Amino acid sequence: MRDDATRKMQFLYALRSKGVTDKRVLSAMETIDRGPFIRGIFSERAYEDMPLPIACGQTISQPSVVGLMTQALHISPRDKVLEVGTGSGYQAAILSKLARRVYTIDRHSRLVREARDIFDDMGLTNITAITGDGSFGLSDQAPFDRIIVTAAAEDPPGTLMEQLKVGGIMVVPVGQSDAVQHLIVVRKTPEGFEYDELRQVRFVPLLEGLGKDG
């Protein structure tokens, strides 16, 4: 137990030292254990602030980036959030502690199935995980208060921007997949869109179509 408590304290300290200071976000990240989202030989490194490989050639983002992206969304308890790129499910689980409803979509059916199993085990009942082409968003549930994209687009995707409510916020990595990417915060105002840059990042590219997996 002492080792677990120490590990959690170190985990939270690392988040704060990288700029994650929002109390609700820190509380959510303290509540959601990253361990179950990482399998195999990398599971022992679940509490380190580093990205790790998962199935289908994807990665789970480093916790500080998850925290910073979540913090930038300024989620309220009544918000409906869309996540494009379920991956391991870790980001969606964090969002579920902050928002009223989370919709998460991924092109790899295997990742969606595995994430659903973890959500069920954790009792996270306000997440809907869907297999689909996230580049088109989820028009039947739009508009969304917040949208988070966990794969890099060449530009902020127009389809997703259309599915954002006026007053809403989208966080998306932008840039070529083999070059430096920039984490962009998009705010939708009555007059149009406002953009701010958070930091440099590196994400897998946002691809159209469904992944070839079982």
Side-chain angles (χ1 to χ4, degrees):
M1 290 294 291
R2 182 179 298 174
D3 287 346
D4 287 344
T6 300
R7 186 168 59 184
K8 185 165 285 189
M9 283 179 59
Q10 291 172 338
F11 181 75
L12 293 172
Y13 177 78
L15 292 175
R16 291 190 188 97
S17 69
K18 297 288 180 65
V20 183
T21 56
D22 184 286
K23 290 181 180 178
R24 290 182 68 231
V25 174
L26 287 168
S27 177
M29 296 188 74
E30 182 178 12
T31 302
I32 298 295
D33 186 355
R34 192 176 184 233
F37 297 93
I38 301 170
R39 305 181 182 191
I41 60 173
F42 294 102
S43 59
E44 294 181 358
R45 310 189 76 172
Y47 305 100
E48 297 178 25
D49 190 35
M50 63 186 302
L52 293 168
I54 59 171
C56 303
Q58 304 300 296
T59 59
I60 179 172
S61 298
Q62 64 193 85
S64 61
V65 171
V66 170
L68 289 169
M69 292 179 76
T70 305
Q71 182 171 271
L73 287 170
H74 297 287
I75 298 170
S76 81
R78 295 185 59 81
D79 283 346
K80 180 170 68 172
V81 182
L82 171 65
E83 179 193 30
V84 176
T86 308
S88 68
Y90 179 61
Q91 175 73 76
I94 301 293
L95 296 171
S96 76
K97 292 297 182 181
L98 301 167
R100 175 176 59 86
R101 190 82 208 166
V102 177
Y103 292 87
T104 181
I105 185 168
D106 201 287
R107 62 196 296 269
H108 296 284
S109 59
R110 174 184 172 182
L111 295 180
V112 171
R113 288 196 305 270
E114 291 178 355
R116 282 178 184 154
D117 289 342
I118 300 174
F119 300 152
D120 288 345
D121 289 344
M122 291 185 166
L124 303 176
T125 58
N126 63 334
I127 304 175
T128 301
I130 299 162
T131 301
D133 186 342
S135 63
F136 292 107
L138 205 58
S139 59
D140 60 339
Q141 295 296 335
F144 295 94
D145 300 288
R146 302 290 186 265
I147 297 176
I148 182 170
V149 185
T150 60
E154 292 190 11
D155 297 291
T159 303
L160 299 182
M161 292 166 72
E162 290 174 6
Q163 294 180 20
L164 193 62
K165 280 185 182 177
V166 173
I169 299 173
M170 178 168 69
V171 176
V172 54
V174 172
Q176 300 290 344
S177 60
D178 57 349
V180 172
Q181 302 161 0
H182 300 276
L183 196 57
I184 303 296
V185 180
V186 182
R187 292 177 178 83
K188 190 171 187 176
T189 75
E191 292 76 34
F193 294 95
E194 298 176 352
Y195 303 88
D196 288 304
E197 184 179 321
L198 275 184
R199 55 165 287 174
Q200 293 182 353
V201 289
R202 185 173 291 277
F203 279 83
V204 297
L206 180 66
L207 301 174
E208 294 187 1
L210 297 182
K212 294 179 172 61
D213 55 86

